Amino acid sequence: MRLIHTKTGRFHNFDDPRTVRYAILSHVWAREGEAHFPEMTYQDVLRIQDSQVKQGSAEPASIVSQFPDKIKRFCEVAAEHDYEYAWADACCIDKTSSSELSEVINSMYDWYRYADVCYVFLPDVPTPATVADLQAPGSAFQNSRWHKRGWTLQELLAPGVVVFFSSEWSIIGTKHTLAALIHAITGIDRDVLTFQRPLEEFSVACRMSWAASRETTREEDEAYSLMGIFQVNMPTTYGEGRYAFIRLQEEILKHISDQTIFAWGATLPEHNFSYHPFSHRSTSDLLSKFSVVTSSPEQFLLASSPKDFRYSSNLTSIPWDEFMRTLGAPLGERPRYMTTSYGVRTRLPVLAVRARDQQTNVPTCIALLACKDNTGRLMSLLLRSQPQRPDIDFYVGAVVGQLRDVMGSIDAIDPFAMSPAYLQYYYRTASLSRDDLRVCCQRFQTENIYIPYRPSLTSHSLQRDVPFHSALRSVTSNTFDLRVSKWSQDLLGLHGYNITSHLDRCVILRPRPARGSTKLSVAQRAVYHRCYERGRRRV
């Protein structure tokens, strides 16, 4: 671990951070145009050190005074509090080294945990006159960006002592003294903040929900910033996008026996199912009889983002042995999850489901999960058969409701083909009443099933094209307005088309046939196409 000396500004390396007292900084990186931009990097510190060496100083003097204000004040405050060493992510990590960056990301939770104190610098929070000012609705503290960033979650949870500083570096409180207010802002249980209960006592879904409203600059950091909270490690691969969060969940499954990780998404508020042994299931639903293909981005076993857990904070894991006793079943083999080309193979208690009303669409079956909500009701996954192997392959979730209500327009271009109106009837989970559970205990069967755990890369690629296709399909007339980009014009010209433009009008002429030319179309205003840059799409 590379620490910076708070008085000299020099780097010192330590093999074990537990052998040294140090203060650690938590902050939000400044954006262009804000104070403290740009942040001081590791290379910046080296340049300051080198410049002093070139000046021929026999006795190296302190270079802290040459640091930008944020890091300079951090070192000064730490020194005033008798800390000889300090760590800040901006300047203590060589981000040009991918191996060092990966090691740091995997170690960062422990480094915050081992720190003697964590200083949280809030540049968007002026020094309040009283503590009551912090608690006033809409206060600067409550609206601080620090509460909304992904990485700051572990920086709040890991250290034993967290001290908050205003933009003037005045102390405004600690994690313990502000625990009630932080709970109101973040939803994190006060007992976690005050170390009255260990983090491990809270379910995977609950911990995920704490990150649901937080944002990261890179998609991958949604996963990497949570590794320490679940005490897992994995290589970091920037560029993998959403698959980083899939990999995180795969690692969690290897280390934590908690089925709340599957219980994300919409929960069916009420239902009127009849339950039957798994062997009595029907392999097709009502919608398939009308050639309607049900598909949803939520049909996979694992979530694509912490945001999928935004409604899961009330879920509690049930130990497997206790779960089996609840079902009145022998303990037997505990569940295992094997990743295959067909999806995750696992063994779960399942029941066939039928609608009491013949005009209601329901899932094929349900799988009972070893978890419950805050009312004590057992949770279950709604499953629907896949057409290729309906006896063993299932998707998670189903459209549930009266046929006359759920039938809607289907967009065949979208790989997840349901319209937004249609999606309101799509549910992944259901809770079971005591009467439901009593019936289920008598009729469930434990079966091996396969569930796809993530969408394919092809689906993700098609998903990015959906807005373009939807724009074209929304055209109601035989003609539509089109903006032609320069590269499209060059390409058309290469194939013999003649393009002329004036102001906002563009005329494209076909290659001249034997009997003259024919106008194809006229573009009068912008319509966006698949070739896009940062939200601006052009043809």
Side-chain angles (χ1 to χ4, degrees), residues 156-167:
L156 171 66
L157 296 175
V161 179
V162 177
V163 182
F164 292 92
F165 288 83
S166 70
S167 56

Side-chain angles (χ1 to χ4, degrees), residues 133-143:
D133 292 341
L134 295 176
Q135 299 171 342
S139 69
F141 180 78
Q142 295 178 51
N143 291 326

Side-chain angles (χ1 to χ4, degrees), residues 34-316:
E34 295 180 339
H36 311 294
F37 180 88
E39 300 283 351
M40 185 175 73
T41 66
Y42 171 71
Q43 284 72 27
D44 292 334
V45 178
L46 294 184
R47 278 192 289 270
I48 295 173
Q49 293 177 352
D50 290 344
S51 66
Q52 188 182 68
V53 171
K54 291 177 181 178
Q55 293 172 4
S57 175
E59 185 69 30
S62 172
I63 60 174
V64 172
S65 60
Q66 300 180 54
F67 289 171
D69 185 67
K70 182 193 292 187
I71 301 300
K72 179 177 71 174
R73 291 291 295 128
F74 168 54
C75 289
E76 290 172 348
V77 171
E80 290 171 5
H81 296 172
D82 296 324
Y83 290 104
E84 191 173 0
Y85 298 102
W87 188 89
D89 60 347
C91 62
C92 292
I93 306 172
D94 181 3
K95 296 181 177 64
T96 63
S97 169
S98 58
S99 59
E100 178 175 331
L101 183 60
S102 183
E103 179 184 355
V104 169
I105 288 175
N106 277 274
S107 306
M108 199 176 296
Y109 184 90
D110 286 335
W111 290 358
Y112 275 89
R113 183 160 61 98
Y114 297 148
D116 206 58
V117 63
C118 174
Y119 295 154
V120 177
F121 175 60
L122 305 174
D124 53 356
V125 179
T127 304
T130 65
V131 175
D133 292 341
L134 295 176
Q135 299 171 342
S139 69
F141 180 78
Q142 295 178 51
N143 291 326
S144 174
R145 282 181 62 213
W146 188 86
H147 298 298
K148 302 175 178 65
R149 301 301 294 171
W151 284 106
T152 57
L153 177 60
Q154 69 172 4
E155 296 163 11
L156 171 66
L157 296 175
V161 179
V162 177
V163 182
F164 292 92
F165 288 83
S166 70
S167 56
E168 294 85 20
W169 281 94
S170 298
I171 294 178
I172 57 178
T174 69
K175 179 168 69 169
H176 284 67
T177 61
L178 298 174
L181 182 56
I182 295 172
H183 164 70
I185 297 168
T186 64
I188 301 172
D189 196 288
R190 288 179 60 180
D191 288 346
V192 178
L193 299 172
T194 57
F195 285 79
Q196 299 299 305
R197 292 175 62 189
L199 197 59
E200 294 75 17
E201 285 190 9
F202 292 83
S203 70
V204 169
C206 181
R207 282 180 266 177
M208 287 288 191
S209 73
W210 299 338
S213 61
R214 293 174 179 260
E215 299 176 351
T216 58
T217 303
R218 301 286 297 269
E219 276 186 328
E220 297 86 350
D221 285 338
E222 286 186 344
Y224 302 157
S225 63
L226 296 176
M227 289 193 293
I229 291 172
F230 296 101
Q231 291 295 293
V232 299
N233 296 100
M234 64 184 194
T236 58
T237 309
Y238 284 101
E240 65 179 324
R242 290 288 181 199
Y243 281 146
F245 192 67
I246 300 292
R247 287 201 298 123
L248 173 68
Q249 293 168 92
E250 291 173 346
E251 290 300 317
I252 292 172
L253 286 173
K254 295 175 186 177
H255 296 88
I256 305 175
S257 56
D258 183 340
Q259 292 187 340
T260 64
I261 195 172
F262 307 134
W264 51 273
T267 299
L268 188 62
E270 56 184 34
H271 49 83
N272 191 20
F273 301 157
S274 62
Y275 303 97
H276 306 271
F278 183 70
S279 55
H280 295 176
R281 68 196 175 282
S282 170
T283 57
S284 63
D285 59 19
L286 284 177
L287 295 180
S288 64
K289 297 177 181 178
F290 293 88
S291 299
V292 173
V293 178
T294 302
S295 188
S296 166
E298 296 188 349
Q299 66 188 10
F300 305 100
L301 188 61
L302 301 182
S304 62
S305 165
K307 293 177 176 60
D308 293 331
F309 290 91
R310 57 190 177 277
Y311 304 123
S312 304
S313 61
N314 64 334
L315 298 182
T316 304

